[in-house]
Structures are given as structure tokens and as C-alpha cells.
Amino acid sequence: MPTSETTRADAARCGIPLTTLDDIDRLDLTVDGADEIDPALNVIKGGGGALLREKIVAAASDRMIVIADDSKWVEVLGRFPLPIEVIPFGLAATQRAMGQVFAESGVSGQMVVRKGKDGHVFVTDGGHWIVDAHLERINDAPCLRDCWTRYRRCRAGLFIGLASTAMLAGSQGIRVVERR
């Protein structure tokens, strides 16, 4: 089950059979990458712009394994900007509300609408935009996630409690971390 149109097209080109959540309602396993992973296996995803689809697939899975190089391992999330998928309509109002969510959860930072390589606004497969929140430090990622659950106009690239295992590749080999 691909989480982006690019992956779907690549798989189809290689003759890999695919399915969708329209055809099945549950997955045994999701294996996906990450932009950041902390020791509690809280994850930031969405650097590639497919965070909403990735979250839908992860939530439909019994288990999620994250694979990444060890540069993605951080003690505290936030070095990588937090991607937030938004609809373009009412963007200023959405950003004001996002600022309130950040303040409520004890974080702050600059919010930037992501641009594509061509300089135009980056558009997700779902026709949405990405706002990257440069928060630098998310001391309580579950608290921030809980604040987002009350705000339904956008989706943050916080994957809290979804990953059960992280496999990190580095110069010393592969390290496997299981959620405590």
C-alpha cells in the first residue's frame, strides 16, 4: 500500500501489486522512514510531503517499523521542522490557530509555507499545502499531539505512539530500538 503517488507510480512501473484502504481495512505492518525519531519512538514525518497519507496508513496498521539512518535519532524532537498539512483556504486563520496550539503546548517558532523546487507553493498528493513549523525543541511531543486533536483543520507530522520499532543504520552497523 503506497503512501504517495510517486511510490505508487514506481511500484506500478516495477510490476509490484498494490492495494488500497478501499479494498482492505487493516494492515499487519507498515515500514516507513522518518525525519526524526526520539527515544520514546515519537516520530516526525512529512519531509517528503506525504504525511497525511502516511498517517492514515500507519493508523490502519497493527505495527509500524521505522527505518532511517542514525542522523535521524534525536534526544528531543524539533530540530527538523514539523510539517503540517493544511488546506489553502483560510491559511492566515489556520496559522493563527496553529500559533495558539503551539503556545498551549509550550512551543513556538516560525511557520513557513513550503515551496517546491520550482519556487511555487508545494502541493501534496491530496491537493493541500505544507506549513513547516520551525520549533527547534518539542519537549512534550504527546502534549503537542493532544493539542492538535482538538484542532481539526490541519494535520501535523507528529507520529506519537504509532512506531513500535526503529531500525537505525550507521557507521557502527544497524541498531534496533523497541518502544518501551
Side-chain angles (χ1 to χ4, degrees), residues 16-163:
I16 298 170
L18 301 172
T19 190
T20 70
L21 287 174
D22 292 331
D23 298 327
I24 61 171
D25 61 351
R26 199 81 200 135
L27 297 168
D28 295 326
L29 175 67
T30 290
V31 178
D32 209 347
D35 297 307
E36 277 191 344
I37 310 162
D38 75 9
L41 298 190
N42 297 316
V43 176
I44 288 181
K45 293 182 59 50
L51 72 97
L52 181 57
R53 287 185 182 203
E54 291 170 331
K55 191 170 276 189
I56 290 168
V57 170
S61 300
D62 293 334
R63 186 167 181 229
M64 179 180 184
I65 297 174
V66 176
I67 55 174
D69 68 77
D70 62 4
S71 71
K72 310 294 179 157
W73 183 262
V74 296
E75 287 303 312
V76 177
L77 295 179
R79 179 182 66 199
F80 189 88
L82 177 64
I84 303 159
E85 192 162 347
V86 302
I87 61 170
F89 177 79
L91 179 62
T94 298
Q95 287 180 302
R96 283 190 297 274
M98 288 165 48
Q100 291 173 339
V101 168
F102 293 151
E104 189 178 323
S105 58
V107 297
S108 65
Q110 182 183 14
M111 290 179 268
V112 178
V113 174
R114 186 179 296 175
K115 304 284 189 204
K117 292 178 183 172
D118 62 1
H120 293 95
V121 171
F122 176 87
V123 179
T124 69
D125 291 343
H128 305 131
W129 292 0
I130 300 282
V131 172
D132 289 315
H134 297 263
L135 303 175
E136 296 186 24
R137 246 182 117 70
I138 303 171
N139 289 318
D140 190 345
C143 174
L144 181 55
R145 184 258 338 257
D146 292 346
C147 290
W148 279 115
T149 60
R150 292 190 301 278
Y151 186 70
R152 306 209 182 268
R153 288 172 37 177
C154 56
R155 290 291 176 257
L158 281 174
F159 286 57
I160 309 299
L162 292 173

